[in-house]
Amino acid sequence: MDEGIDQKDIAEADLRTRRGVFRAVAFRDPVDGHEHMALVRGEVRGRDDVLVRMHSECMTGDIFGATRCECGDQLGAALDAIAREGAGALVYLRGHEGRGIGLVAKVRTHILQDDQGLDTVDSATAIGLPVDVRDYGPAARILRHLGVRSVRLMSNNPVKVSALETYGVAVAARVPLLVPVSADNVRYLTAKRDRLGHDLPQLDAPAGALGEAPCREARR
């Protein structure tokens, strides 16, 4: 098992939001050195099958509401799902911008996507960068600190399941977190499905068929 988080590198406080009160658990990861945040609702310690989202930082989508990606919509949908359930955790992972290549590089890939028609994969490799260098160790470490026994992971990416399991976190189920297809995000979603292996059935569904239910439980 890898190194745990030192208590001096963790701070907790209530955070009042439009979705109600969460427990904000800020922590500095001992491996990557970034300061991350877990938003926890209800009691998760010692529980199995806790609803969990590992959310990679995306300034353009999460803060500014960019429609090129589905990140901001997924962030909101995950928090809504945790609030409805009354218990769960969202781990917000810093240093994951652009699947780990950073904000400046990500914006450079946007130029290539707009001007040359490259997708999210080829635009990264065209500037000599890897497609995905994210590490989910910080999420596993904070989940262990929180005492979570196993998770139902909100994600469309099967790689996240295997990544968590590599760090010793049991994943009981993957919960799809599907965002409606639009003219702005269809190229991005298609590349994630065809090039990165994400499970995105809404790309094949009739427009509007998914309605208001972005989360669907999928047993492994």
Side-chain angles (χ1 to χ4, degrees), residues 30-43:
V31 177
D32 71 14
H34 288 293
E35 293 182 330
H36 308 278
M37 173 80 83
L39 289 184
V40 182
R41 187 69 163 263
E43 184 53 58

Side-chain angles (χ1 to χ4, degrees), residues 115-198:
D115 293 351
Q116 299 182 25
L118 301 184
D119 66 21
T120 186
V121 173
D122 290 337
S123 59
T125 57
I127 57 176
L129 295 174
V131 174
D132 194 339
V133 290
R134 290 174 294 179
D135 175 45
Y136 299 103
R141 286 184 278 276
I142 195 63
L143 289 171
R144 282 199 294 271
H145 171 81
L146 294 171
V148 172
R149 291 165 56 95
S150 65
V151 307
R152 288 151 44 226
L153 185 66
M154 288 186 280
S155 178
N156 305 321
N157 185 0
V159 170
K160 285 188 175 182
V161 174
S162 57
L164 262 189
E165 291 178 333
T166 296
Y167 282 104
V169 176
V171 180
R174 182 175 61 81
V175 183
L177 197 60
L178 304 176
V179 168
V181 180
S182 71
D184 289 339
N185 69 23
V186 64
R187 283 202 316 162
Y188 177 76
L189 293 177
T190 300
K192 289 180 78 172
R193 180 193 64 185
D194 296 346
R195 307 290 305 278
L196 300 174
H198 290 221

Side-chain angles (χ1 to χ4, degrees), residues 19-20 22 41 51 73-74 76-88 152 154 175-178 212-217:
R19 295 175 174 88
F22 289 80
R41 187 69 163 263
L51 191 61
D73 288 336
Q74 286 188 312
L79 289 170
D80 286 342
I82 291 169
R84 284 194 303 269
E85 181 131 332
R152 288 151 44 226
M154 288 186 280
V175 183
L177 197 60
L178 304 176
E212 295 287 328
C215 294
R216 300 201 310 275
E217 202 95 12

Side-chain angles (χ1 to χ4, degrees), residues 53-142:
R53 166 73 177 166
M54 297 191 301
H55 191 86
S56 295
E57 175 184 28
C58 175
M59 180 184 289
T60 51
D62 298 340
I63 298 176
F64 299 120
T67 56
R68 179 192 300 264
C69 66
E70 84 273 49
C71 302
D73 288 336
Q74 286 188 312
L75 177 61
L79 289 170
D80 286 342
I82 291 169
R84 284 194 303 269
E85 181 131 332
L90 183 141
V91 184
Y92 194 87
L93 295 164
R94 308 284 301 282
H96 278 204
E97 193 75 56
R99 295 190 300 273
I101 64 174
L103 185 60
V104 171
K106 183 177 85 167
V107 173
R108 286 178 177 151
T109 69
H110 289 175
I111 297 170
L112 293 175
Q113 292 167 34
D114 292 341
D115 293 351
Q116 299 182 25
L118 301 184
D119 66 21
T120 186
V121 173
D122 290 337
S123 59
T125 57
I127 57 176
L129 295 174
V131 174
D132 194 339
V133 290
R134 290 174 294 179
D135 175 45
Y136 299 103
R141 286 184 278 276
I142 195 63

Side-chain angles (χ1 to χ4, degrees), residues 181 193 200-206:
V181 180
R193 180 193 64 185
L200 299 171
Q202 76 270 39
L203 285 165
D204 298 318

